[in-house]
Amino acid sequence: MTETGKTLRLRYEEGCLGAHALNFIGDRWALLVVRELMFQPKRFQMLRAGLPGVTASVLTQRLTQLVQAGVVSHDDVLGVYALTDAGRALHPVLRELCRWALRMPGHDPAKFISISALMISISATVDRARAAGSPLRAGFVSGKEGFEVTLSAAGIPQVRAMREPVADFVMEGSGNALAAAIYGPGPMALAAAGLVGLRGDHAAAQGFTSLFSLKPQISDSSESPDEIVQALGASST
Protein backbone atom coordinates (compact mmCIF):
# COMPACT_ATOMS: atom_id res chain seq x y z
CA MET A 1 0.00 0.00 0.00
CA THR A 2 2.78 2.42 0.91
CA GLU A 3 6.53 2.29 1.08
CA THR A 4 8.73 3.88 3.74
CA GLY A 5 9.52 7.48 2.87
CA LYS A 6 7.19 7.49 -0.15
CA THR A 7 3.69 8.68 -0.79
CA LEU A 8 0.66 6.39 -0.97
CA ARG A 9 1.06 3.81 -3.72
CA LEU A 10 -2.25 3.06 -5.41
CA ARG A 11 -3.25 -0.60 -5.45
CA TYR A 12 -6.45 -0.11 -7.43
CA GLU A 13 -6.47 2.24 -10.40
CA GLU A 14 -10.22 2.85 -10.20
CA GLY A 15 -12.52 5.77 -9.54
CA CYS A 16 -14.70 3.62 -7.25
CA LEU A 17 -14.84 5.06 -3.72
CA GLY A 18 -14.67 1.57 -2.28
CA ALA A 19 -11.46 0.91 -4.20
CA HIS A 20 -10.11 4.27 -3.03
CA ALA A 21 -10.78 3.29 0.58
CA LEU A 22 -9.03 -0.03 0.07
CA ASN A 23 -5.94 1.82 -1.16
CA PHE A 24 -5.58 2.95 2.47
CA ILE A 25 -6.87 0.04 4.55
CA GLY A 26 -7.13 -2.90 2.15
CA ASP A 27 -3.97 -4.79 3.04
CA ARG A 28 -4.13 -7.86 5.28
CA TRP A 29 -4.19 -6.98 9.01
CA ALA A 30 -4.74 -3.26 8.38
CA LEU A 31 -8.33 -3.11 9.63
CA LEU A 32 -7.51 -5.41 12.52
CA VAL A 33 -4.73 -3.04 13.61
CA VAL A 34 -7.33 -0.27 13.52
CA ARG A 35 -9.62 -2.48 15.60
CA GLU A 36 -7.00 -2.90 18.31
CA LEU A 37 -6.46 0.86 18.51
CA MET A 38 -10.13 1.82 18.38
CA PHE A 39 -10.61 2.58 22.06
CA GLN A 40 -7.20 3.68 23.25
CA PRO A 41 -3.61 4.25 22.13
CA LYS A 42 -1.22 1.31 22.53
CA ARG A 43 2.41 0.41 22.30
CA PHE A 44 3.73 -2.16 19.85
CA GLN A 45 3.77 -5.17 22.19
CA MET A 46 0.20 -4.58 23.36
CA LEU A 47 -0.88 -4.45 19.73
CA ARG A 48 0.82 -7.78 19.09
CA ALA A 49 -0.97 -9.30 22.09
CA GLY A 50 -4.30 -8.50 20.42
CA LEU A 51 -3.11 -9.85 17.06
CA PRO A 52 -1.38 -13.16 17.85
CA GLY A 53 -1.36 -14.26 14.22
CA VAL A 54 0.72 -11.36 12.92
CA THR A 55 4.52 -11.33 12.84
CA ALA A 56 6.49 -8.39 14.21
CA SER A 57 7.73 -7.47 10.74
CA VAL A 58 4.27 -7.47 9.17
CA LEU A 59 2.83 -5.46 12.04
CA THR A 60 5.63 -2.92 11.64
CA GLN A 61 4.84 -2.66 7.92
CA ARG A 62 1.13 -2.18 8.52
CA LEU A 63 1.69 0.46 11.19
CA THR A 64 4.06 2.33 8.89
CA GLN A 65 1.49 2.19 6.09
CA LEU A 66 -1.35 3.35 8.32
CA VAL A 67 0.73 6.21 9.69
CA GLN A 68 1.61 7.34 6.16
CA ALA A 69 -2.05 7.02 5.16
CA GLY A 70 -3.08 9.34 8.00
CA VAL A 71 -5.12 6.64 9.76
CA VAL A 72 -2.71 6.13 12.68
CA SER A 73 -0.36 8.52 14.46
CA HIS A 74 2.85 7.56 16.24
CA ASP A 75 4.52 9.29 19.16
CA ASP A 76 8.21 8.67 18.58
CA VAL A 77 9.12 9.63 22.15
CA LEU A 78 6.57 7.48 23.98
CA GLY A 79 6.41 4.77 21.33
CA VAL A 80 2.63 4.93 21.34
CA TYR A 81 0.32 4.39 18.37
CA ALA A 82 -3.10 6.02 18.24
CA LEU A 83 -5.89 6.46 15.73
CA THR A 84 -6.41 9.79 14.03
CA ASP A 85 -9.90 11.16 13.42
CA ALA A 86 -9.86 9.29 10.11
CA GLY A 87 -8.99 6.08 11.93
CA ARG A 88 -11.69 6.46 14.57
CA ALA A 89 -14.21 7.10 11.79
CA LEU A 90 -13.72 3.45 10.77
CA HIS A 91 -15.65 2.20 13.82
CA PRO A 92 -18.96 1.97 11.88
CA VAL A 93 -17.13 0.09 9.12
CA LEU A 94 -15.87 -2.52 11.59
CA ARG A 95 -19.28 -2.74 13.24
CA GLU A 96 -21.04 -3.31 9.93
CA LEU A 97 -18.49 -5.94 8.94
CA CYS A 98 -19.34 -7.77 12.17
CA ARG A 99 -23.04 -7.43 11.41
CA TRP A 100 -22.54 -8.76 7.89
CA ALA A 101 -20.44 -11.66 9.22
CA LEU A 102 -23.37 -12.79 11.38
CA ARG A 103 -25.13 -13.78 8.16
CA MET A 104 -22.22 -15.78 6.81
CA PRO A 105 -21.60 -19.46 7.64
CA GLY A 106 -18.51 -20.86 9.32
CA HIS A 107 -17.92 -18.41 12.16
CA ASP A 108 -16.07 -20.13 15.03
CA PRO A 109 -16.43 -18.14 18.28
CA ALA A 110 -13.99 -20.54 19.98
CA LYS A 111 -11.08 -19.05 18.05
CA PHE A 112 -9.04 -16.22 19.60
CA ILE A 113 -10.86 -12.94 20.18
CA SER A 114 -9.26 -9.89 21.75
CA ILE A 115 -11.12 -7.76 24.25
CA SER A 116 -11.03 -4.85 21.77
CA ALA A 117 -12.63 -7.05 19.13
CA LEU A 118 -15.32 -8.06 21.61
CA MET A 119 -16.06 -4.43 22.46
CA ILE A 120 -16.64 -3.71 18.76
CA SER A 121 -18.74 -6.83 18.22
CA ILE A 122 -21.22 -5.92 20.96
CA SER A 123 -22.29 -2.90 18.89
CA ALA A 124 -23.21 -5.31 16.08
CA THR A 125 -24.95 -7.90 18.24
CA VAL A 126 -27.08 -5.85 20.65
CA ASP A 127 -30.87 -6.06 20.63
CA ARG A 128 -31.43 -2.33 20.43
CA ALA A 129 -35.15 -2.44 21.07
CA ARG A 130 -34.57 -4.13 24.43
CA ALA A 131 -31.42 -2.19 25.25
CA ALA A 132 -32.84 1.26 24.52
CA GLY A 133 -32.67 3.46 27.60
CA SER A 134 -31.32 0.72 29.87
CA PRO A 135 -29.56 2.20 32.92
CA LEU A 136 -27.19 -0.76 33.22
CA ARG A 137 -23.47 0.01 33.34
CA ALA A 138 -21.11 -2.87 32.58
CA GLY A 139 -17.42 -3.30 33.25
CA PHE A 140 -15.03 -5.67 31.48
CA VAL A 141 -11.39 -6.33 32.30
CA SER A 142 -8.95 -8.51 30.37
CA GLY A 143 -5.31 -8.38 31.35
CA LYS A 144 -4.20 -4.76 31.35
CA GLU A 145 -7.24 -3.54 29.41
CA GLY A 146 -10.50 -2.43 30.96
CA PHE A 147 -13.73 -1.04 29.51
CA GLU A 148 -16.89 0.57 30.80
CA VAL A 149 -20.03 0.11 28.69
CA THR A 150 -23.29 2.01 28.93
CA LEU A 151 -26.33 1.93 26.64
CA SER A 152 -27.65 4.98 24.81
CA ALA A 153 -31.29 6.01 24.55
CA ALA A 154 -31.30 4.23 21.19
CA GLY A 155 -29.86 1.05 22.69
CA ILE A 156 -26.36 1.49 21.24
CA PRO A 157 -23.41 0.41 23.42
CA GLN A 158 -21.16 3.31 24.43
CA VAL A 159 -17.66 1.96 25.09
CA ARG A 160 -15.04 3.80 27.12
CA ALA A 161 -11.56 2.44 27.82
CA MET A 162 -11.05 2.48 31.58
CA ARG A 163 -8.41 0.46 33.45
CA GLU A 164 -10.66 0.14 36.52
CA PRO A 165 -14.25 0.44 35.31
CA VAL A 166 -16.93 1.74 37.66
CA ALA A 167 -20.09 -0.22 36.90
CA ASP A 168 -23.02 -2.21 38.25
CA PHE A 169 -20.91 -5.30 37.70
CA VAL A 170 -17.42 -6.11 36.44
CA MET A 171 -16.45 -9.29 34.61
CA GLU A 172 -12.81 -10.28 34.23
CA GLY A 173 -11.22 -12.88 31.98
CA SER A 174 -9.77 -13.52 28.54
CA GLY A 175 -11.52 -12.14 25.49
CA ASN A 176 -12.87 -15.62 24.70
CA ALA A 177 -14.14 -16.19 28.23
CA LEU A 178 -15.90 -12.82 28.27
CA ALA A 179 -17.40 -13.53 24.85
CA ALA A 180 -18.72 -16.84 26.15
CA ALA A 181 -20.24 -15.02 29.12
CA ILE A 182 -22.00 -12.58 26.79
CA TYR A 183 -23.07 -14.93 24.01
CA GLY A 184 -23.07 -18.31 25.74
CA PRO A 185 -24.49 -19.67 28.98
CA GLY A 186 -24.18 -16.34 30.77
CA PRO A 187 -21.88 -14.72 33.33
CA MET A 188 -23.11 -16.52 36.44
CA ALA A 189 -22.65 -19.95 34.89
CA LEU A 190 -19.11 -19.13 33.76
CA ALA A 191 -18.29 -17.50 37.08
CA ALA A 192 -19.47 -20.61 38.90
CA ALA A 193 -17.18 -22.68 36.66
CA GLY A 194 -14.27 -20.38 37.45
CA LEU A 195 -13.89 -19.24 33.84
CA VAL A 196 -14.55 -15.55 34.52
CA GLY A 197 -14.36 -13.35 37.56
CA LEU A 198 -17.61 -11.60 38.44
CA ARG A 199 -18.11 -8.94 41.07
CA GLY A 200 -20.98 -6.59 41.75
CA ASP A 201 -24.65 -7.11 40.91
CA HIS A 202 -25.01 -10.59 39.41
CA ALA A 203 -28.58 -9.95 38.30
CA ALA A 204 -27.43 -6.83 36.43
CA ALA A 205 -24.73 -8.90 34.72
CA GLN A 206 -27.26 -11.49 33.62
CA GLY A 207 -29.65 -8.80 32.42
CA PHE A 208 -26.96 -6.95 30.49
CA THR A 209 -25.60 -9.99 28.68
CA SER A 210 -29.11 -11.13 27.74
CA LEU A 211 -29.27 -8.10 25.42
CA PHE A 212 -26.70 -9.61 23.02
CA SER A 213 -26.94 -12.43 20.53
CA LEU A 214 -24.93 -13.86 17.63
CA LYS A 215 -28.12 -13.97 15.55
CA PRO A 216 -28.20 -11.50 12.62
CA GLN A 217 -29.26 -8.01 13.66
CA ILE A 218 -31.38 -5.59 11.64
CA SER A 219 -29.31 -2.59 10.54
CA ASP A 220 -30.54 0.95 11.11
CA SER A 221 -29.00 3.33 8.60
CA SER A 222 -30.02 6.37 10.68
CA GLU A 223 -27.83 5.53 13.67
CA SER A 224 -25.09 7.84 14.85
CA PRO A 225 -21.44 6.80 14.39
CA ASP A 226 -20.48 8.48 17.68
CA GLU A 227 -20.46 5.30 19.73
CA ILE A 228 -17.00 5.33 21.27
CA VAL A 229 -15.02 7.50 23.60
CA GLN A 230 -11.31 6.97 23.05
CA ALA A 231 -9.02 7.47 26.02
CA LEU A 232 -6.91 10.15 24.41
CA GLY A 233 -3.50 10.54 25.96
CA ALA A 234 -3.70 7.13 27.62
CA SER A 235 -1.88 4.05 26.45
CA SER A 236 -1.51 0.39 27.17
CA THR A 237 1.92 -1.15 27.69
Short mmCIF file of all heavy atoms in Angstrom, two decimals, residues 105-162:
data_model
loop_
_atom_site.label_atom_id
_atom_site.label_comp_id
_atom_site.label_asym_id
_atom_site.label_seq_id
_atom_site.Cartn_x
_atom_site.Cartn_y
_atom_site.Cartn_z
N PRO A 105 -21.86 -18.20 6.94
CA PRO A 105 -21.60 -19.46 7.64
C PRO A 105 -20.13 -19.60 8.01
O PRO A 105 -19.25 -18.95 7.45
CB PRO A 105 -21.99 -20.52 6.61
CG PRO A 105 -21.76 -19.85 5.28
CD PRO A 105 -22.11 -18.40 5.50
N GLY A 106 -19.88 -20.47 9.00
CA GLY A 106 -18.51 -20.86 9.32
C GLY A 106 -17.84 -20.09 10.44
O GLY A 106 -16.68 -20.36 10.76
N HIS A 107 -18.54 -19.15 11.06
CA HIS A 107 -17.92 -18.41 12.16
C HIS A 107 -17.66 -19.34 13.34
O HIS A 107 -18.54 -20.09 13.76
CB HIS A 107 -18.82 -17.25 12.62
CG HIS A 107 -18.33 -16.56 13.84
ND1 HIS A 107 -19.09 -16.47 15.00
CD2 HIS A 107 -17.16 -15.95 14.13
CE1 HIS A 107 -18.42 -15.82 15.91
NE2 HIS A 107 -17.24 -15.49 15.42
N ASP A 108 -16.45 -19.29 13.90
CA ASP A 108 -16.07 -20.13 15.03
C ASP A 108 -15.73 -19.24 16.23
O ASP A 108 -14.62 -18.72 16.32
CB ASP A 108 -14.87 -21.01 14.67
CG ASP A 108 -14.50 -21.98 15.79
OD1 ASP A 108 -15.13 -21.92 16.86
OD2 ASP A 108 -13.56 -22.78 15.58
N PRO A 109 -16.68 -19.03 17.14
CA PRO A 109 -16.43 -18.14 18.28
C PRO A 109 -15.42 -18.70 19.27
O PRO A 109 -15.00 -18.00 20.19
CB PRO A 109 -17.82 -18.00 18.93
CG PRO A 109 -18.54 -19.25 18.53
CD PRO A 109 -18.04 -19.60 17.17
N ALA A 110 -14.99 -19.96 19.09
CA ALA A 110 -13.99 -20.54 19.98
C ALA A 110 -12.58 -20.09 19.63
O ALA A 110 -11.66 -20.23 20.44
CB ALA A 110 -14.07 -22.06 19.95
N LYS A 111 -12.40 -19.53 18.44
CA LYS A 111 -11.08 -19.05 18.05
C LYS A 111 -10.76 -17.75 18.81
O LYS A 111 -11.65 -17.10 19.35
CB LYS A 111 -11.02 -18.81 16.54
CG LYS A 111 -11.07 -20.10 15.73
CD LYS A 111 -10.95 -19.83 14.24
CE LYS A 111 -10.94 -21.13 13.45
NZ LYS A 111 -10.85 -20.87 11.98
N PHE A 112 -9.49 -17.37 18.81
CA PHE A 112 -9.04 -16.22 19.60
C PHE A 112 -9.85 -14.96 19.28
O PHE A 112 -10.12 -14.64 18.12
CB PHE A 112 -7.56 -15.94 19.32
CG PHE A 112 -7.07 -14.68 19.98
CD1 PHE A 112 -6.66 -14.71 21.31
CD2 PHE A 112 -7.02 -13.49 19.30
CE1 PHE A 112 -6.22 -13.55 21.94
CE2 PHE A 112 -6.57 -12.32 19.91
CZ PHE A 112 -6.17 -12.36 21.24
N ILE A 113 -10.24 -14.25 20.33
CA ILE A 113 -10.86 -12.94 20.18
C ILE A 113 -10.27 -12.02 21.23
O ILE A 113 -10.20 -12.37 22.42
CB ILE A 113 -12.40 -13.01 20.29
CG1 ILE A 113 -13.01 -11.61 20.12
CG2 ILE A 113 -12.84 -13.62 21.62
CD1 ILE A 113 -14.52 -11.62 19.98
N SER A 114 -9.82 -10.86 20.80
CA SER A 114 -9.26 -9.89 21.75
C SER A 114 -10.40 -9.15 22.43
O SER A 114 -11.54 -9.12 21.93
CB SER A 114 -8.35 -8.90 21.02
OG SER A 114 -9.11 -8.01 20.22
N ILE A 115 -10.10 -8.52 23.55
CA ILE A 115 -11.12 -7.76 24.25
C ILE A 115 -11.57 -6.57 23.42
O ILE A 115 -12.74 -6.20 23.42
CB ILE A 115 -10.61 -7.32 25.65
CG1 ILE A 115 -11.70 -6.58 26.43
CG2 ILE A 115 -9.36 -6.48 25.54
CD1 ILE A 115 -12.90 -7.42 26.78
N SER A 116 -10.64 -5.96 22.65
CA SER A 116 -11.03 -4.85 21.77
C SER A 116 -12.00 -5.32 20.69
O SER A 116 -12.97 -4.62 20.37
CB SER A 116 -9.79 -4.21 21.13
OG SER A 116 -8.97 -3.60 22.10
N ALA A 117 -11.73 -6.49 20.13
CA ALA A 117 -12.63 -7.05 19.13
C ALA A 117 -14.01 -7.30 19.72
O ALA A 117 -15.04 -7.03 19.09
CB ALA A 117 -12.05 -8.34 18.56
N LEU A 118 -14.04 -7.79 20.95
CA LEU A 118 -15.32 -8.06 21.61
C LEU A 118 -16.09 -6.77 21.83
O LEU A 118 -17.31 -6.72 21.66
CB LEU A 118 -15.08 -8.78 22.93
CG LEU A 118 -16.33 -9.13 23.75
CD1 LEU A 118 -17.27 -10.04 22.96
CD2 LEU A 118 -15.93 -9.78 25.07
N MET A 119 -15.38 -5.70 22.21
CA MET A 119 -16.06 -4.43 22.46
C MET A 119 -16.65 -3.84 21.18
O MET A 119 -17.64 -3.12 21.22
CB MET A 119 -15.08 -3.45 23.11
CG MET A 119 -14.67 -3.79 24.53
SD MET A 119 -16.06 -3.82 25.71
CE MET A 119 -16.38 -5.61 25.84
N ILE A 120 -16.06 -4.14 20.03
CA ILE A 120 -16.64 -3.71 18.76
C ILE A 120 -17.82 -4.60 18.40
O ILE A 120 -18.86 -4.14 17.94
CB ILE A 120 -15.59 -3.70 17.65
CG1 ILE A 120 -14.61 -2.54 17.89
CG2 ILE A 120 -16.25 -3.56 16.27
CD1 ILE A 120 -13.45 -2.50 16.92
N SER A 121 -17.69 -5.90 18.63
CA SER A 121 -18.74 -6.83 18.22
C SER A 121 -20.05 -6.59 18.98
O SER A 121 -21.12 -6.84 18.43
CB SER A 121 -18.28 -8.28 18.41
OG SER A 121 -18.33 -8.67 19.77
N ILE A 122 -19.97 -6.10 20.21
CA ILE A 122 -21.22 -5.92 20.96
C ILE A 122 -22.10 -4.85 20.31
O ILE A 122 -23.33 -4.90 20.44
CB ILE A 122 -20.98 -5.59 22.45
CG1 ILE A 122 -20.21 -4.28 22.62
CG2 ILE A 122 -20.27 -6.75 23.15
CD1 ILE A 122 -20.09 -3.85 24.08
N SER A 123 -21.49 -3.90 19.59
CA SER A 123 -22.29 -2.90 18.89
C SER A 123 -23.06 -3.51 17.73
O SER A 123 -24.08 -2.97 17.29
CB SER A 123 -21.40 -1.78 18.36
OG SER A 123 -20.82 -1.04 19.42
N ALA A 124 -22.56 -4.64 17.21
CA ALA A 124 -23.21 -5.31 16.08
C ALA A 124 -24.20 -6.37 16.53
O ALA A 124 -25.02 -6.83 15.73
CB ALA A 124 -22.15 -5.96 15.19
N THR A 125 -24.15 -6.76 17.79
CA THR A 125 -24.95 -7.90 18.24
C THR A 125 -25.97 -7.54 19.31
O THR A 125 -26.63 -8.42 19.86
CB THR A 125 -24.02 -9.00 18.81
OG1 THR A 125 -23.25 -8.46 19.89
CG2 THR A 125 -23.07 -9.51 17.73
N VAL A 126 -26.14 -6.27 19.61
CA VAL A 126 -27.08 -5.85 20.65
C VAL A 126 -28.50 -5.84 20.11
O VAL A 126 -28.75 -5.50 18.95
CB VAL A 126 -26.69 -4.45 21.19
CG1 VAL A 126 -26.84 -3.38 20.11
CG2 VAL A 126 -27.51 -4.10 22.43
N ASP A 127 -29.45 -6.19 20.94
CA ASP A 127 -30.87 -6.06 20.63
C ASP A 127 -31.27 -4.64 21.04
O ASP A 127 -31.55 -4.36 22.19
CB ASP A 127 -31.68 -7.09 21.42
CG ASP A 127 -33.17 -7.06 21.09
OD1 ASP A 127 -33.68 -5.99 20.69
OD2 ASP A 127 -33.84 -8.10 21.26
N ARG A 128 -31.26 -3.74 20.10
CA ARG A 128 -31.43 -2.33 20.43
C ARG A 128 -32.79 -2.01 21.01
O ARG A 128 -32.92 -1.13 21.87
CB ARG A 128 -31.17 -1.48 19.18
CG ARG A 128 -29.74 -1.56 18.73
CD ARG A 128 -29.50 -0.67 17.55
NE ARG A 128 -28.18 -0.95 17.00
CZ ARG A 128 -27.73 -0.44 15.88
NH1 ARG A 128 -28.50 0.36 15.17
NH2 ARG A 128 -26.53 -0.74 15.43
N ALA A 129 -33.81 -2.70 20.55
CA ALA A 129 -35.15 -2.44 21.07
C ALA A 129 -35.20 -2.71 22.57
O ALA A 129 -35.80 -1.95 23.33
CB ALA A 129 -36.17 -3.29 20.32
N ARG A 130 -34.57 -3.79 23.00
CA ARG A 130 -34.57 -4.13 24.43
C ARG A 130 -33.57 -3.32 25.21
O ARG A 130 -33.75 -3.05 26.40
CB ARG A 130 -34.28 -5.62 24.60
CG ARG A 130 -35.39 -6.54 24.06
CD ARG A 130 -34.99 -8.00 24.23
NE ARG A 130 -34.68 -8.28 25.62
CZ ARG A 130 -33.67 -9.03 26.03
NH1 ARG A 130 -32.85 -9.58 25.14
NH2 ARG A 130 -33.47 -9.24 27.31
N ALA A 131 -32.48 -2.91 24.56
CA ALA A 131 -31.42 -2.19 25.25
C ALA A 131 -31.70 -0.70 25.38
O ALA A 131 -31.09 -0.03 26.23
CB ALA A 131 -30.10 -2.40 24.52
N ALA A 132 -32.59 -0.18 24.56
CA ALA A 132 -32.84 1.26 24.52
C ALA A 132 -33.18 1.81 25.90
O ALA A 132 -34.12 1.36 26.56
CB ALA A 132 -33.97 1.57 23.55
N GLY A 133 -32.40 2.78 26.34
CA GLY A 133 -32.67 3.46 27.60
C GLY A 133 -32.31 2.68 28.84
O GLY A 133 -32.59 3.12 29.96
N SER A 134 -31.68 1.51 28.69
CA SER A 134 -31.32 0.72 29.87
C SER A 134 -30.31 1.47 30.72
O SER A 134 -29.33 2.03 30.20
CB SER A 134 -30.73 -0.63 29.43
OG SER A 134 -30.18 -1.30 30.56
N PRO A 135 -30.49 1.50 32.05
CA PRO A 135 -29.56 2.20 32.92
C PRO A 135 -28.34 1.36 33.30
O PRO A 135 -27.46 1.84 34.02
CB PRO A 135 -30.40 2.50 34.16
CG PRO A 135 -31.34 1.33 34.23
CD PRO A 135 -31.66 0.96 32.80
N LEU A 136 -28.27 0.13 32.81
CA LEU A 136 -27.19 -0.76 33.22
C LEU A 136 -25.83 -0.24 32.76
O LEU A 136 -25.68 0.27 31.65
CB LEU A 136 -27.42 -2.16 32.66
CG LEU A 136 -28.62 -2.93 33.24
CD1 LEU A 136 -28.80 -4.25 32.49
CD2 LEU A 136 -28.41 -3.18 34.72
N ARG A 137 -24.85 -0.38 33.64
CA ARG A 137 -23.47 0.01 33.34
C ARG A 137 -22.60 -1.21 33.58
O ARG A 137 -22.57 -1.76 34.68
CB ARG A 137 -23.05 1.16 34.26
CG ARG A 137 -21.66 1.71 33.96
CD ARG A 137 -21.33 2.84 34.94
NE ARG A 137 -22.23 3.95 34.78
CZ ARG A 137 -22.01 5.00 33.98
NH1 ARG A 137 -20.88 5.04 33.27
NH2 ARG A 137 -22.87 5.97 33.90
N ALA A 138 -21.90 -1.64 32.52
CA ALA A 138 -21.11 -2.87 32.58
C ALA A 138 -19.63 -2.56 32.59
O ALA A 138 -19.17 -1.58 31.99
CB ALA A 138 -21.46 -3.77 31.40
N GLY A 139 -18.86 -3.41 33.25
CA GLY A 139 -17.42 -3.30 33.25
C GLY A 139 -16.79 -4.60 32.79
O GLY A 139 -17.25 -5.69 33.17
N PHE A 140 -15.75 -4.50 31.97
CA PHE A 140 -15.03 -5.67 31.48
C PHE A 140 -13.54 -5.43 31.62
O PHE A 140 -13.04 -4.37 31.25
CB PHE A 140 -15.38 -5.94 30.01
CG PHE A 140 -16.84 -6.21 29.76
CD1 PHE A 140 -17.69 -5.19 29.39
CD2 PHE A 140 -17.35 -7.49 29.92
CE1 PHE A 140 -19.04 -5.43 29.17
CE2 PHE A 140 -18.70 -7.74 29.71
CZ PHE A 140 -19.54 -6.70 29.33
N VAL A 141 -12.84 -6.44 32.12
CA VAL A 141 -11.39 -6.33 32.30
C VAL A 141 -10.75 -7.59 31.74
O VAL A 141 -11.18 -8.71 32.02
CB VAL A 141 -11.01 -6.18 33.78
CG1 VAL A 141 -9.50 -6.19 33.96
CG2 VAL A 141 -11.61 -4.89 34.35
N SER A 142 -9.71 -7.39 30.92
CA SER A 142 -8.95 -8.51 30.37
C SER A 142 -7.49 -8.12 30.38
O SER A 142 -7.08 -7.23 29.62
CB SER A 142 -9.42 -8.84 28.95
OG SER A 142 -8.72 -9.96 28.44
N GLY A 143 -6.72 -8.75 31.23
CA GLY A 143 -5.31 -8.38 31.35
C GLY A 143 -5.16 -6.94 31.79
O GLY A 143 -5.73 -6.53 32.81
N LYS A 144 -4.43 -6.16 31.01
CA LYS A 144 -4.20 -4.76 31.35
C LYS A 144 -5.24 -3.82 30.75
O LYS A 144 -5.14 -2.60 30.89
CB LYS A 144 -2.80 -4.34 30.87
CG LYS A 144 -1.67 -5.07 31.58
CD LYS A 144 -0.33 -4.59 31.07
CE LYS A 144 0.81 -5.30 31.79
NZ LYS A 144 2.15 -4.84 31.30
N GLU A 145 -6.22 -4.37 30.06
CA GLU A 145 -7.24 -3.54 29.41
C GLU A 145 -8.57 -3.64 30.15
O GLU A 145 -9.01 -4.72 30.54
CB GLU A 145 -7.43 -3.97 27.96
CG GLU A 145 -6.20 -3.76 27.10
CD GLU A 145 -6.48 -4.04 25.64
OE1 GLU A 145 -7.10 -3.19 24.98
OE2 GLU A 145 -6.08 -5.13 25.16
N GLY A 146 -9.20 -2.49 30.31
CA GLY A 146 -10.50 -2.43 30.96
C GLY A 146 -11.44 -1.53 30.18
O GLY A 146 -11.01 -0.57 29.53
N PHE A 147 -12.74 -1.82 30.25
CA PHE A 147 -13.73 -1.04 29.51
C PHE A 147 -14.99 -0.87 30.35
O PHE A 147 -15.39 -1.76 31.09
CB PHE A 147 -14.10 -1.73 28.20
CG PHE A 147 -12.96 -1.87 27.25
CD1 PHE A 147 -12.14 -2.98 27.27
CD2 PHE A 147 -12.68 -0.86 26.33
CE1 PHE A 147 -11.07 -3.10 26.40
CE2 PHE A 147 -11.62 -0.98 25.46
CZ PHE A 147 -10.81 -2.10 25.49
N GLU A 148 -15.60 0.29 30.19
CA GLU A 148 -16.89 0.57 30.80
C GLU A 148 -17.89 0.75 29.67
O GLU A 148 -17.62 1.48 28.71
CB GLU A 148 -16.80 1.84 31.64
CG GLU A 148 -18.04 2.14 32.46
CD GLU A 148 -17.82 3.37 33.32
OE1 GLU A 148 -16.99 3.29 34.26
OE2 GLU A 148 -18.45 4.40 33.06
N VAL A 149 -19.04 0.08 29.77
CA VAL A 149 -20.03 0.11 28.69
C VAL A 149 -21.37 0.55 29.24
O VAL A 149 -21.88 -0.02 30.21
CB VAL A 149 -20.18 -1.27 28.02
CG1 VAL A 149 -21.17 -1.19 26.86
CG2 VAL A 149 -18.83 -1.79 27.52
N THR A 150 -21.93 1.58 28.63
CA THR A 150 -23.29 2.01 28.93
C THR A 150 -24.13 1.87 27.66
O THR A 150 -23.60 1.61 26.57
CB THR A 150 -23.33 3.46 29.43
OG1 THR A 150 -22.71 4.31 28.45
CG2 THR A 150 -22.59 3.58 30.75
N LEU A 151 -25.43 2.06 27.78
CA LEU A 151 -26.33 1.93 26.64
C LEU A 151 -27.03 3.26 26.39
O LEU A 151 -27.56 3.87 27.32
CB LEU A 151 -27.35 0.82 26.89
CG LEU A 151 -26.73 -0.57 27.06
CD1 LEU A 151 -27.71 -1.53 27.71
CD2 LEU A 151 -26.28 -1.12 25.70
N SER A 152 -27.04 3.70 25.14
CA SER A 152 -27.65 4.98 24.81
C SER A 152 -29.17 4.87 24.80
O SER A 152 -29.74 3.77 24.90
CB SER A 152 -27.16 5.46 23.44
OG SER A 152 -27.76 4.67 22.41
N ALA A 153 -29.83 6.00 24.62
CA ALA A 153 -31.29 6.01 24.55
C ALA A 153 -31.79 5.18 23.38
O ALA A 153 -32.91 4.66 23.41
CB ALA A 153 -31.80 7.45 24.44
N ALA A 154 -30.93 5.03 22.35
CA ALA A 154 -31.30 4.23 21.19
C ALA A 154 -30.87 2.77 21.33
O ALA A 154 -31.06 1.97 20.42
CB ALA A 154 -30.68 4.83 19.93
N GLY A 155 -30.27 2.43 22.47
CA GLY A 155 -29.86 1.05 22.69
C GLY A 155 -28.51 0.71 22.09
O GLY A 155 -28.20 -0.47 21.88
N ILE A 156 -27.67 1.71 21.83
CA ILE A 156 -26.36 1.49 21.24
C ILE A 156 -25.30 1.48 22.34
O ILE A 156 -25.25 2.39 23.17
CB ILE A 156 -26.02 2.59 20.22
CG1 ILE A 156 -27.05 2.59 19.08
CG2 ILE A 156 -24.62 2.41 19.66
CD1 ILE A 156 -26.92 3.74 18.13
N PRO A 157 -24.46 0.45 22.41
CA PRO A 157 -23.41 0.41 23.42
C PRO A 157 -22.43 1.57 23.27
O PRO A 157 -21.97 1.88 22.17
CB PRO A 157 -22.71 -0.93 23.15
CG PRO A 157 -23.74 -1.77 22.47
CD PRO A 157 -24.51 -0.81 21.62
N GLN A 158 -22.14 2.24 24.37
CA GLN A 158 -21.16 3.31 24.43
C GLN A 158 -19.96 2.77 25.20
O GLN A 158 -20.07 2.46 26.39
CB GLN A 158 -21.74 4.53 25.16
CG GLN A 158 -23.11 4.96 24.68
CD GLN A 158 -23.05 5.71 23.35
OE1 GLN A 158 -22.24 6.59 23.16
NE2 GLN A 158 -23.93 5.33 22.44
N VAL A 159 -18.83 2.63 24.51
CA VAL A 159 -17.66 1.96 25.09
C VAL A 159 -16.60 2.99 25.45
O VAL A 159 -16.23 3.83 24.62
CB VAL A 159 -17.08 0.94 24.09
CG1 VAL A 159 -15.86 0.25 24.68
CG2 VAL A 159 -18.14 -0.09 23.69
N ARG A 160 -16.11 2.91 26.67
CA ARG A 160 -15.04 3.80 27.12
C ARG A 160 -13.92 2.94 27.73
O ARG A 160 -14.18 2.10 28.60
CB ARG A 160 -15.56 4.77 28.19
CG ARG A 160 -14.49 5.75 28.70
CD ARG A 160 -15.01 6.52 29.90
NE ARG A 160 -16.12 7.37 29.54
CZ ARG A 160 -16.00 8.63 29.12
NH1 ARG A 160 -14.80 9.17 28.99
NH2 ARG A 160 -17.06 9.35 28.84
N ALA A 161 -12.70 3.14 27.24
CA ALA A 161 -11.56 2.44 27.82
C ALA A 161 -11.31 2.98 29.22
O ALA A 161 -11.20 4.19 29.42
CB ALA A 161 -10.33 2.62 26.95
N MET A 162 -11.23 2.08 30.19
CA MET A 162 -11.05 2.48 31.58
C MET A 162 -10.38 1.32 32.32
O MET A 162 -10.95 0.23 32.41
CB MET A 162 -12.38 2.84 32.23
CG MET A 162 -12.27 3.46 33.60
SD MET A 162 -13.88 4.07 34.19
CE MET A 162 -14.20 5.39 33.01
#
